[in-house]
């Protein structure tokens, strides 16, 4: 059972124990909580699950290895990240996916970064591209937010927006996958926070399945699956570290990028089939 409210999960666990039914948990999120009453209630419920329910369950699936320290592990505990099946990402009808022509390297982000980019630091990427100035060799595609929304919520950062930033607004998942398949790198840029450390982005598995390398900050277990120069690049969780990394990527030639993309497609560490045998420890 995936993360759910404490009392129903406890009742279901007790029912399964009485009936001799295997009960397992799938731990994917650590809710930090906020200032509202509803957020405080969710944070308390999360605390109760982590402290008093999960440690008493033998069969556990963790989305990242940090839970082994936070909650503990049993002989039937496994770590399974955000795996994925192979994605069909071809643009067979040669649909025009964006309204610019460029030989630059294409960076891609899809999602809701938060009003102030508190979830995904696309503002760092935008500033990096601005700070690269005439040396910049990137086009940055941003799906999930409009330029108007970004400007409204981040008025002090609007001067960083250059002609190389393309806000695409809300798009269907199918269209996002098509755009992703045309990119050179997918981005997962997050600060060092509990929500980022104790989760795992499905964007990484989606990108790998399309043969697109990932540029990410070092949160969660990212460094266990992203290897510099093999299937992407990883850096510390700061603007300065990201800027230095993008400086390196900025000067890569097309031959090197294509090599990395081939490696990514051929050796996907997040294919679900890699974990079926491991999951037998939980379900057998």
């Amino acid at each position: 059972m995936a993360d759910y409210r404490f009392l129903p999960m406890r009742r279901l666990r007790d029912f399964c124990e009485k009936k001799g039914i295997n009960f397992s948990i799938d731990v994917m999120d650590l809710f930090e909580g906020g200032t509202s009453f509803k957020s405080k209630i969710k944070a308390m419920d999360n605390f109760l699950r982590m402290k008093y329910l999960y440690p008493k369950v033998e069969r556990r699936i963790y989305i990242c290895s940090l839970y082994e320290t936070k909650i503990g592990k049993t002989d039937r505990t496994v770590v399974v990240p955000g795996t994925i099946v192979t994605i069909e990402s071809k643009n067979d009808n040669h649909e025009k996916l964006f309204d610019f022509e460029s030989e630059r390297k294409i960076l891609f982000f899809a999602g809701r970064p938060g009003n102030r980019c508190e979830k995904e630091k696309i503002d760092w990427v935008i500033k990096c591209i601005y700070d690269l100035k005439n040396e910049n060799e990137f086009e940055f595609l941003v799906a999930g937010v409009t330029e108007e929304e970004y400007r409204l919520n981040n008025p002090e950062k609007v001067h960083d927006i250059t002609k190389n930033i393309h806000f695409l607004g809300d798009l269907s998942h199918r269209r996002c996958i098509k755009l992703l398949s045309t990119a050179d790198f997918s981005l997962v840029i997050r600060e060092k926070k509990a929500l980022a450390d104790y989760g795992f982005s499905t964007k990484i598995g989606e990108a790998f399945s399309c043969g697109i390398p990932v540029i990410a900050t070092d949160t969660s277990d990212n460094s266990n699956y992203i290897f510099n120069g093999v299937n992407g690049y990883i850096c510390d969780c700061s603007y300065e570290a990201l800027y230095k990394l993008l400086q390196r990527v900025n000067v890569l030639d097309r031959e090197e990028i294509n090599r990395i993309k081939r490696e990514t497609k051929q050796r996907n560490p997040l294919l679900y089939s890699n974990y079926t045998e491991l999951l037998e420890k939980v379900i057998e």
Side-chain angles (χ1 to χ4, degrees), residues 2-4 26-34 39 42-51 54 62-64 66-71 190 192-200 220:
D3 295 325
Y4 193 55
D26 188 0
V27 186
M28 299 182 292
D29 291 303
L30 182 65
F31 185 72
E32 291 182 293
S39 292
K42 289 180 70 175
M44 177 59 70
D45 191 81
N46 181 85
F47 169 79
L48 291 172
R49 279 187 280 112
M50 296 286 178
K51 184 74 173 178
Y54 291 166
Y62 294 155
I63 199 167
C64 72
L66 291 178
Y67 285 109
E68 293 182 336
T69 301
K70 186 172 186 63
I71 303 174
R190 298 175 174 178
K192 197 76 170 173
K193 295 180 178 179
L195 192 60
D197 269 344
Y198 287 91
F200 190 84
S220 185

Side-chain angles (χ1 to χ4, degrees), residues 39 68 84 121 146 155 221 244 261:
S39 292
E68 293 182 336
I84 197 165
K121 299 301 291 179
T146 65
D221 282 344
K244 289 180 180 178
K261 292 171 83 169

Side-chain angles (χ1 to χ4, degrees), residues 105-219:
K105 304 169 184 70
I106 297 177
L107 308 178
F108 180 73
F109 167 82
R112 300 295 296 181
N115 289 338
R116 299 283 295 169
C117 301
E118 66 274 11
K119 297 179 181 178
E120 306 266 0
K121 299 301 291 179
I122 65 169
D123 55 333
W124 286 358
V125 182
I126 292 170
K127 180 171 171 53
C128 284
I129 291 174
Y130 174 82
D131 287 345
L132 283 168
K133 301 189 184 302
N134 294 334
E135 297 178 3
N136 172 57
E137 290 295 333
F138 294 119
E139 301 283 353
F140 184 28
L141 307 184
V142 183
V145 61
T146 65
E147 183 171 343
E148 182 181 11
E149 287 176 305
Y150 184 84
R151 287 178 175 271
L152 181 64
N153 293 313
N154 302 276
E156 77 285 3
K157 302 174 184 176
V158 297
H159 70 280
D160 293 335
I161 301 174
T162 67
K163 64 180 181 180
N164 308 103
I165 312 300
H166 308 273
F167 291 94
L168 306 176
D170 289 331
L171 301 175
S172 67
H173 184 260
R174 181 179 180 184
R175 187 168 179 81
C176 283
I177 293 298
K178 284 187 175 183
L179 282 166
L180 171 62
S181 69
T182 68
D184 293 308
F185 295 94
S186 179
L187 302 184
V188 180
I189 309 300
R190 298 175 174 178
E191 290 185 281
K192 197 76 170 173
K193 295 180 178 179
L195 192 60
D197 269 344
Y198 287 91
F200 190 84
S201 177
T202 57
K203 298 184 184 72
I204 298 174
E206 287 180 337
F208 285 172
S209 189
C210 292
I212 305 302
V214 175
I215 295 174
T217 47
D218 191 9
T219 60

Side-chain angles (χ1 to χ4, degrees), residues 1-13:
M1 188 173 188
D3 295 325
Y4 193 55
R5 292 189 295 274
F6 170 68
L7 287 177
M9 283 190 75
R10 190 177 68 174
R11 289 169 182 161
L12 182 58
R13 182 207 62 188

